[in-house]
Amino acid sequence: SKVEGIKVHKAQGAFYMTALFEQGVLNGARSLPIADAGLRELVEQQCKGAAPDWRFVYQLLGSKGVCVVPLTGFYTPHPGFRFTLLETDDTKRAWIFRTLADALQEYLAG
């Protein structure tokens, strides 16, 4: 929730949280570094013509190995993503949130 350009809707009894990209922060040129050339090529193919939040989701998975779900996949016009709160290991959950926040900052700065 402290990442500039993101608005987080906290869970209210759900097993997931929603993060929205603020208007104007996404464009088709943003990316995250993906070390594996084959994986990078696959992600680039998936990103062609993809909605901006889908593009972020593919980049995040390829770069950091963190899987979230694009919000526009739920038939909303608002770009963003959902992520689950089902991880039971506190250390791993903290790593996921830290990695997600760092990736968002890197992606939006690029």
Side-chain angles (χ1 to χ4, degrees):
S1 65
K2 295 178 184 175
V3 176
E4 191 172 327
I6 298 294
K7 185 174 185 177
V8 176
H9 293 273
K10 295 182 180 178
Q12 296 180 359
F15 293 106
Y16 63 87
M17 288 177 56
T18 301
L20 294 169
F21 289 101
E22 293 179 359
Q23 190 169 356
V25 301
L26 292 178
N27 65 38
R30 300 192 189 283
S31 64
L32 290 168
I34 300 172
D36 181 276
L39 181 56
R40 183 173 52 252
E41 184 177 330
L42 178 64
V43 168
E44 288 171 0
Q45 289 297 316
Q46 291 297 316
C47 287
K48 288 183 180 176
D53 56 347
W54 285 74
R55 183 176 171 80
F56 170 73
V57 167
Y58 291 134
Q59 293 283 327
L60 178 66
L61 184 58
S63 179
K64 309 297 182 189
V66 174
C67 183
V68 298
V69 181
L71 200 54
T72 57
F74 294 95
Y75 302 103
T76 177
H78 306 291
F81 57 92
R82 283 185 178 179
F83 53 98
T84 68
L85 302 172
L86 298 174
E87 178 56 59
T88 58
D89 182 300
D90 290 339
T91 303
K92 189 169 185 179
R93 187 179 331 103
W95 176 87
I96 292 168
F97 290 161
R98 227 178 10 261
T99 301
L100 183 54
D102 291 347
L104 280 163
Q105 289 174 329
E106 182 178 0
Y107 190 78
L108 295 176

